[in-house]
Amino acid sequence: RLVAAGQLRRVGRGLYDMPRISGVLKRPAPASIDAAIAAVARRDNVRIMPDGLVAANQLGLTNAVPAKASYVTDGATKTVKIDGRTIRLRHAGPSVMHWTGKPAAPVVQAMRWLGPRVIADAQVVAVLKRRLPDAVKRDLVRHSRYLPGWAAPVVRSLAPVQNSAA
């Protein structure tokens, strides 16, 4: 009834949002994919986070942009239609999903996607050193035992310098 009345908009199976009007275009704005994915995670009681390509792009480590949105989850692999767009949810193991909700999660996803040869490149390390806040660097070091072995030297080189007051 709320959909018929225009108070809610159905954006996917079991997913609804409040329609909003774009201030620029003066027409209904598309549904927020991030909000819809968060709703799917709550509905299905799973953890979901963006895959490595999206994370690497957001960190400025690649200019590649995914053709289709892809996420990793501790739930089953499946595709979800949201507002006419196809979103792929791919099952990932506990070592990947351990990072869900942590500040360093996008960095770890990007590192896994780039692989050991690329992530060890001096230019990539320099970009990470420059762009990552100290809190994220500390989080990486604190949880480094959950990283692949090839990532440990990179994480150690990113560790923030501790000021020792004498």
Side-chain angles (χ1 to χ4, degrees), residues 51-58 62 64-67 109-110 113:
D51 75 343
L53 174 56
V54 172
N57 180 275
Q58 289 172 345
T62 181
V65 179
Q109 285 296 94
W113 182 77

Side-chain angles (χ1 to χ4, degrees), residues 111-146:
M111 289 171 70
R112 287 180 184 274
W113 182 77
L114 290 168
R117 283 192 338 199
V118 175
I119 202 66
D121 182 69
Q123 288 180 329
V124 172
V125 172
V127 168
L128 289 174
K129 271 187 178 181
R130 188 173 60 249
R131 292 196 175 176
L132 296 180
D134 284 346
V136 172
K137 293 174 187 174
R138 281 192 294 274
D139 191 44
L140 276 169
V141 171
R142 188 177 310 119
H143 298 281
S144 62
R145 68 182 173 275
Y146 298 105

Side-chain angles (χ1 to χ4, degrees), residues 63-121:
N63 57 4
V65 179
K68 290 184 179 180
S70 181
Y71 293 80
V72 293
T73 179
D74 56 356
T77 297
K78 62 182 176 180
T79 57
V80 179
K81 291 264 190 190
I82 297 175
D83 206 17
R85 292 175 274 187
T86 302
I87 311 297
R88 184 163 188 261
L89 301 176
R90 184 176 48 84
H91 178 78
S95 64
V96 173
M97 296 310 295
H98 165 81
W99 294 93
T100 306
K102 293 186 175 34
V107 180
V108 173
Q109 285 296 94
M111 289 171 70
R112 287 180 184 274
W113 182 77
L114 290 168
R117 283 192 338 199
V118 175
I119 202 66
D121 182 69

